[in-house]
Amino acid sequence: MTDLQTLLTEIDELPPEELETVYRHIVQRRHASYWLVPGENLKAIQEMMRPVYEQTAQMTDEEINAAIDEALDEVRRERKTHRRD
């Protein structure tokens, strides 16, 4: 592939119709790669999370916030551990 500056220069020289095509391609490519989750995966996630939802229904906001903070701390500890490996 050509270097980035050459690519940008070529894009700058495109006629408006072709520039619009490039723009739509980039928007579609970036959008499609982020949030597409197949329905069967969403169902599986919903089933896995059901006990958590049921548990939080009995919790106060403070308890929920404390549980979230604890989970974040655990993730941070795991990341630090993996960086040292």
Side-chain angles (χ1 to χ4, degrees), residues 18-84:
E18 291 179 1
L19 182 60
E20 180 65 24
T21 301
V22 170
Y23 173 76
R24 278 184 276 142
H25 172 78
I26 292 170
V27 168
Q28 182 180 25
R29 183 166 177 246
R30 293 196 72 177
H31 178 70
S33 66
Y34 286 97
W35 300 106
L36 295 180
V37 178
E40 60 272 7
N41 291 4
L42 290 175
K43 273 237 184 275
I45 292 168
Q46 185 180 31
E47 287 301 313
M48 286 188 313
M49 295 301 296
R50 184 180 315 276
V52 175
Y53 294 142
E54 291 169 356
Q55 182 182 7
T56 57
Q58 311 300 324
M59 297 171 74
T60 66
D61 286 347
E62 292 78 21
E63 290 171 323
I64 292 171
N65 289 337
I68 292 170
D69 290 341
E70 184 179 324
L72 290 172
D73 289 343
E74 183 178 335
V75 168
R76 289 180 183 125
R77 280 192 301 273
E78 286 181 16
R79 285 185 178 174
K80 286 181 182 177
T81 301
H82 286 114
R83 286 184 191 148
R84 293 181 192 150

